């Protein structure tokens, strides 16, 4: 796999700023890398699963399925961002959202145990996740607040 | 007994009903709280009638969301019972988290529960 030639590791994907961690990302991709074509569903809301995903390249949209059957886009994620961690953190391993590849996507897919080992050996992952989850919570709360201010409009 | 990782924190006591922090205020000097005893409620008020409420139990952290996701308080927290907390500075929290990764897991689990609750709220609104 010619990862360097394809430029996937030009970025410090974990945004941690050290060559060693870039190397870890590269090594992880060689073992656990997966790719999805655009418009493919990566995770289905409601299904059981606890794998955690790190985006290497491309974009993934986070959607919620509404009772009327349509999907609502909650967020768009890009390189260096993590998803699927909620089911890995909780005993309840039900997926809370549907994740769809918005473009061709390359990911690192880790099992709950593999994620746990990585998490425990690279504490900066914890802060990255804390920031990501806090941002999502506040954004979602702002969406709800906007809805109540303008009840006729979409919550997004 | 107070966990060792809280040694740099600021212990505080609150009586039932006391505000611990309030929405629209700047972050406190020690903005991350570890609840030692009692119960606390974190509230995100959307309007006078609508809010989301997250109950915090001993051994859990609160106040994290704005520290990592914003600049000022968007939620408020008050004591549901008389309670004892330890406030932590962000830097001290991160030092403790790097040393005690279970603290990080505890924090993330708490945020995960909060995120599920607000996601459910969005779903209800859309339906």
């Amino acid at each position: 796999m010619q990862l360097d030639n394809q430029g996937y590791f030009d970025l410090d994907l974990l945004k941690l700023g050290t060559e060693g961690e870039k190397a870890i990302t590269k090594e992880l991709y060689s073992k656990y890398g997966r790719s999805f074509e655009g418009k493919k569903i990566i995770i289905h809301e409601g299904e059981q699963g606890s794998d955690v995903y790190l985006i290497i390249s491309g974009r993934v949209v986070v959607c919620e399925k509404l009772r009327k059957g349509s999907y609502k886009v909650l967020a768009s994620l890009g390189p260096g961002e993590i998803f699927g961690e909620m089911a890995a953190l909780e005993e309840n391993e039900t997926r809370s959202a549907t994740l769809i590849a918005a473009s061709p996507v390359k990911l690192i897919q880790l099992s709950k145990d593999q994620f746990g080992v990585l998490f425990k050996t690279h504490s900066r992952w914890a802060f990255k996740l804390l920031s990501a989850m806090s941002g999502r919570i506040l954004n979602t709360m702002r969406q709800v607040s906007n809805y109540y201010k303008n009840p006729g409009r979409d919550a997004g | 007994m107070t966990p060792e990782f809280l040694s740099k924190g600021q212990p505080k006591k609150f009586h039932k009903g006391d505000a611990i922090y309030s929405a629209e205020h700047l972050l406190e000097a020690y903005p991350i709280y570890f609840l030692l005893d009692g119960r606390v409620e974190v509230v995100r008020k959307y309007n006078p009638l609508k809010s989301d409420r997250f109950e915090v139990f001993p051994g859990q952290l609160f106040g994290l969301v704005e520290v990592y996701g914003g600049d000022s308080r968007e939620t408020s927290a008050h004591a549901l019972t008389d309670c004892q907390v330890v406030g932590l500075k962000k830097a001290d929290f991160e030092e403790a988290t790097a040393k005690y990764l279970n603290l990080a897991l505890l924090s993330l689990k708490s945020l995960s529960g909060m995120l599920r609750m607000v996601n459910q709220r969005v779903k209800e609104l859309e339906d």
Side-chain angles (χ1 to χ4, degrees):
Chain A
M1 198 176 288
Q2 301 284 312
L3 289 172
D4 284 332
N5 294 341
Q6 293 173 44
Y8 298 134
F9 293 91
D10 289 347
L11 290 171
D12 175 356
L13 293 165
L14 302 182
K15 296 177 182 163
L16 301 179
T18 70
E19 288 301 317
E21 282 154 341
K22 280 186 199 176
I24 289 166
T25 308
K26 183 176 176 181
E27 185 187 335
L28 285 172
Y29 189 82
S30 67
K31 287 182 184 169
Y32 307 115
R34 286 194 65 185
S35 56
F36 290 85
E37 293 169 20
K39 300 182 183 175
K40 292 286 180 191
I41 293 181
I42 302 166
I43 285 177
H44 290 267
E45 180 181 342
E47 74 181 8
Q48 296 289 303
S50 58
D51 285 354
V52 179
Y53 301 82
L54 171 67
I55 303 173
I56 301 294
S57 66
R59 293 208 72 82
V60 172
V61 289
V62 183
C63 306
E64 274 204 328
K65 192 172 185 181
L66 306 177
R67 289 198 185 109
K68 57 191 174 193
S70 59
Y71 285 91
K72 174 181 172 52
V73 175
L74 297 175
S76 171
L77 308 175
E81 294 194 87
I82 292 170
F83 62 91
E85 76 285 354
M86 284 171 69
L89 288 165
E90 298 172 349
E91 295 306 313
N92 169 12
E93 294 180 351
T94 305
R95 297 298 189 183
S96 63
T98 295
L99 279 291
I100 303 172
S103 65
V105 171
K106 293 193 180 296
L107 306 163
I108 291 172
Q109 181 176 357
L110 299 173
S111 70
K112 185 176 185 170
D113 289 344
Q114 288 161 344
F115 175 67
V117 169
L118 200 68
F119 186 87
K120 285 181 177 169
T121 50
H122 296 82
S123 61
R124 291 197 197 182
W125 278 57
F127 303 122
K128 185 175 171 58
L129 275 176
L130 280 171
S131 295
M133 290 181 80
S134 296
R136 285 180 210 164
I137 289 168
L138 289 177
N139 283 337
T140 309
M141 286 175 166
R142 287 172 198 145
Q143 285 179 31
V144 175
S145 185
N146 287 339
Y147 176 87
Y148 283 124
K149 283 179 189 160
N150 304 286
R153 295 178 60 188
D154 192 291
Chain B
M1 198 174 102
T2 306
E4 191 266 331
F5 66 83
L6 297 174
S7 59
K8 289 185 180 173
Q10 183 183 63
K12 284 187 178 178
K13 289 184 180 180
F14 294 93
H15 293 295
K16 180 180 176 181
D18 284 351
I20 299 170
Y21 61 78
S22 302
E24 299 180 21
H25 285 207
L26 291 174
L27 295 176
E28 311 80 74
Y30 293 79
I32 297 169
Y33 298 89
F34 184 87
L35 181 59
L36 288 172
D37 189 34
R39 283 183 299 122
V40 166
E41 189 172 60
V42 175
V43 181
R44 176 49 158 103
K45 203 168 184 177
Y46 300 116
N47 68 25
L49 298 175
K50 298 285 184 184
S51 57
D52 275 323
R53 293 168 183 276
F54 312 93
E55 196 166 339
V56 185
F57 296 93
Q60 293 184 326
L61 289 143
F62 63 100
L64 279 164
V65 173
E66 293 94 342
V67 174
Y68 282 93
D71 301 316
S72 58
R73 290 293 182 198
E74 295 189 29
T75 61
S76 55
H78 61 267
L80 284 175
T81 64
D82 289 353
C83 61
Q84 281 186 289
V85 305
V86 177
L88 293 165
K89 289 182 178 175
K90 185 180 180 184
D92 293 334
F93 169 75
E94 292 190 349
E95 188 184 321
T97 300
K99 197 170 172 186
Y100 304 100
L101 277 160
N102 281 342
L103 184 62
L105 282 174
L106 184 71
S107 313
L108 288 166
K109 282 179 182 175
S110 155
L111 293 183
S112 181
M114 214 167 173
L115 187 53
R116 276 191 193 272
M117 188 184 278
V118 290
N119 279 344
Q120 186 58 36
R121 169 73 74 174
V122 170
K123 189 185 278 275
E124 286 165 10
L125 293 178
E126 293 297 337
D127 288 343

